[in-house]
Amino acid sequence: MDPSSDYHFLNQILWRRVKLTLVCGIFEGVLQHVDPNKIVVLKKVKNVETGRSVPGVKMFFGHEILNVELLDEVEQGGEKASSVSLNTERTSMDKMKDEDLNVCEPPFPATEAPTTSLLNDFKYSPSEEEEVTYTVIDQFQQKFGAAMLHIKKQSVLSVAAEGANVCRHGKLCWLQVATNSRVYLFDIFLLGSRAFNNGLQMVLEDKRILKVIHDCRWLSDCLSHQYGILLNNVFDTQVADVLQFSMETGGFLPNCISTLQESLIRHLKVAPKYLFFLEERQKLIQENPEVWFTRPLSPSLLKILALEATYLLPLRLVLLDEMMSDLTTLVDGYLNTYREGSADRLGGTEPTCMELPEELLQLKDFQKQRRERAAKEYRMNAQGLLETRESPSDTFHPFRKAVLSTLPPLEETDSWINPSNLP
């Protein structure tokens, strides 16, 4: 049977249980995806020789498959098992690295595709207020090139990632990239490293394109050690949140960094109910760390991926405004220094004194007032950090300041900041 016939036959038996005979083993599983390049994806995989089940999904490549057999099952009405032998002749494509194989768009029929029990239990349904349009990039021939052309024209974009323990020891499954008008979800699990070789690496390393990320440490480690990519020119919203907190409290630092959920509530004033998708995301990961390996990924989970990246761009703008607020105030004072004062102060056309002007000395007063206000709102720990949570492992409370302000007065033995000791 020629390769094209193989492809059409296998597409007709999607979502049915098959047995693959390989050069070096035999596997059974539900046929989830097949493309003309002879990449076959199974889920609920079992190694027939060892009897062990393989978690998540597993990819097989044409050059290693000797035979595909359709197994008899009750729902198949007692049909006889059918089989097809794939062309095992090694072509130049077969000899390429696994990650360099083209992956065509999976023909996932929405009405036929069953979901796992985990996704059936997924109760979250994004509201209309959270509508977001996204494009899934899981093949090179049609969508990838157009996406890269659009992305390379941007000066600012947001980046998020999902996978299993995303770092040098884990596995990157999804890379989300959002611009002001579009959101792209790159399926790295299917595309492999070729996605980076064909343009994503250039974007991630480009010093002219600003990448907005919340906690870039994990993704930076993963990209560097697994793909040889040095992430560059990053605006990290988690770092910006700490800097803004320090400015807001007159120089103090918090005892904890903020989650994306905290940052969105604090700075963008997003109602917690609209961020429920972040809580559900965390719950799903705890229940199944390999949830992002599922193919096809449900629309609800795809929307979570898109929303994660979408919120980062407006968050950056608000953080910039907050961090620049002092500069704006001081410049406003500078503008009025001479034009609203007496002409007698202007002895000549050139400034004759380089002492720090009174208008800029206000910054010292700003800092003192903020430290005094922070003394009333926060407790200081032994390291001199303000306790935004009781401990770094505490669950997030979106109204931490409001809660602190309602607490009863503490006894003298409690370690609140003493305003009289402030500089």
Side-chain angles (χ1 to χ4, degrees):
M1 184 178 292
D2 63 85
S4 62
S5 299
D6 296 345
Y7 170 69
H8 292 299
F9 170 77
L10 293 175
N11 264 298
Q12 293 175 359
I13 61 172
L14 285 173
W15 305 109
R16 298 171 74 175
R17 193 159 188 82
V18 299
K19 180 168 71 175
L20 299 186
T21 302
L22 309 180
V23 176
C24 57
I26 302 175
F27 291 85
E28 293 180 0
V30 177
L31 183 60
Q32 185 168 343
H33 169 55
V34 61
D35 67 48
N37 293 315
K38 295 187 290 186
I39 296 176
V40 175
V41 179
L42 300 185
K43 73 172 185 176
K44 298 182 180 179
V45 183
K46 178 182 177 181
N47 187 323
V48 176
E49 295 178 336
T50 64
R52 294 181 179 179
S53 296
V54 179
V57 297
K58 185 173 178 62
M59 300 178 67
F60 301 89
F61 298 89
H63 66 270
E64 61 184 1
I65 301 175
L66 299 178
N67 188 67
V68 180
E69 181 180 351
L70 175 62
L71 300 179
D72 283 329
E73 292 188 352
V74 176
E75 63 269 24
Q76 295 173 9
E79 294 177 344
K80 293 183 179 180
S82 302
S83 65
V84 56
S85 297
L86 296 186
N87 183 5
T88 57
E89 180 182 357
R90 288 179 176 266
T91 63
S92 58
M93 180 62 73
D94 294 329
K95 296 178 181 179
M96 293 176 66
K97 293 182 179 179
D98 293 349
E99 62 268 22
D100 287 344
L101 288 171
N102 288 348
V103 182
C104 291
E105 185 175 5
F108 292 135
T111 58
E112 300 177 10
T115 55
T116 64
S117 58
L118 174 64
L119 297 182
N120 286 331
D121 295 336
F122 184 52
K123 305 301 183 184
Y124 171 65
S125 179
S127 64
E128 293 181 358
E129 291 83 349
E130 295 167 323
E131 284 300 322
V132 58
T133 301
Y134 56 83
T135 302
V136 177
I137 309 295
D138 51 14
Q139 51 86 28
F140 291 100
Q141 287 83 353
Q142 299 175 8
K143 303 176 184 177
F144 191 92
M148 292 311 306
L149 286 176
H150 175 74
I151 290 172
K152 289 179 179 179
K153 294 177 182 178
Q154 309 304 310
S155 58
V156 181
L157 49 84
S158 63
V159 177
E162 289 292 0
N165 187 27
V166 177
C167 65
R168 72 184 70 182
H169 303 301
K171 180 67 176 178
L172 179 63
C173 293
W174 292 93
L175 190 75
Q176 306 104 276
V177 178
T179 69
N180 285 325
S181 59
R182 301 177 189 176
V183 181
Y184 297 105
L185 308 181
F186 291 91
D187 191 340
I188 303 301
F189 179 68
L190 289 182
L191 297 177
S193 63
R194 193 178 181 192
F196 298 107
N197 298 337
N198 284 1
L200 281 178
Q201 177 170 359
M202 183 183 302
V203 171
L204 294 170
E205 293 184 338
D206 195 332
K207 296 181 180 180
R208 297 168 298 179
I209 301 177
L210 180 67
K211 277 73 68 174
V212 184
I213 306 175
H214 189 82
D215 192 355
C216 64
R217 296 173 296 175
W218 306 99
L219 180 58
S220 176
D221 182 75
C222 176
L223 293 175
S224 175
H225 291 274
Q226 293 193 24
Y227 300 99
I229 298 172
L230 297 180
L231 194 56
N232 219 321
N233 192 14
V234 170
F235 182 99
D236 194 306
T237 53
Q238 191 173 75
V239 176
D241 174 78
V242 172
L243 178 59
Q244 194 278 333
F245 180 89
S246 179
M247 295 175 60
E248 182 184 275
T249 58
F252 287 113
L253 294 175
N255 69 326
C256 301
I257 51 179
S258 295
T259 64
L260 177 58
Q261 185 178 9
E262 286 178 291
S263 296
L264 294 175
I265 291 176
R266 180 183 177 198
H267 301 290
L268 279 184
K269 313 301 180 186
V270 179
K273 66 178 181 178
Y274 297 137
L275 300 177
F276 185 63
F277 72 92
L278 290 172
E279 296 181 9
E280 286 299 323
R281 166 195 171 275
Q282 193 62 32
K283 186 185 302 182
L284 286 171
I285 293 174
Q286 292 173 354
E287 293 175 356
N288 179 13
E290 296 185 346
V291 64
W292 303 114
F293 289 92
T294 305
R295 297 295 181 278
L297 203 61
S298 73
S300 295
L301 291 178
L302 290 172
K303 180 167 281 190
I304 287 178
L305 293 176
L307 287 171
E308 280 186 274
T310 302
Y311 275 113
L312 290 173
L313 292 177
L315 178 59
R316 165 185 168 264
L317 294 178
V318 171
L319 283 166
L320 282 174
D321 286 343
E322 292 175 353
M323 290 188 293
M324 296 293 287
S325 61
D326 281 352
L327 175 63
T328 302
T329 301
L330 294 175
V331 170
D332 286 344
Y334 239 41
L335 290 171
N336 296 324
T337 298
Y338 295 144
R339 71 184 180 189
E340 295 186 1
S342 171
D344 297 336
R345 298 178 59 185
L346 306 177
T349 56
E350 296 293 332
T352 58
C353 179
M354 298 305 293
E355 293 180 0
L356 191 66
E358 181 181 345
E359 292 76 18
L360 299 186
L361 286 171
Q362 294 181 84
L363 188 58
K364 184 178 180 180
D365 296 332
F366 293 164
Q367 293 173 337
K368 182 177 181 180
Q369 293 169 6
R370 291 167 183 169
R371 292 173 72 86
E372 291 174 348
R373 185 168 64 249
K376 299 176 182 179
E377 294 182 357
Y378 297 96
R379 188 197 301 269
M380 180 182 289
N381 66 15
Q383 289 75 39
L385 305 176
L386 300 191
E387 294 184 352
T388 55
R389 295 194 196 105
E390 288 299 320
S391 71
S393 60
D394 282 350
T395 56
F396 163 64
H397 195 296
F399 308 105
R400 59 189 184 191
K401 287 191 174 182
V403 171
L404 286 170
S405 65
T406 60
L407 293 175
L410 295 174
E411 301 296 332
E412 293 182 358
T413 55
D414 288 318
S415 56
W416 288 92
I417 308 170
N418 185 350
S420 62
N421 294 332
L422 296 175

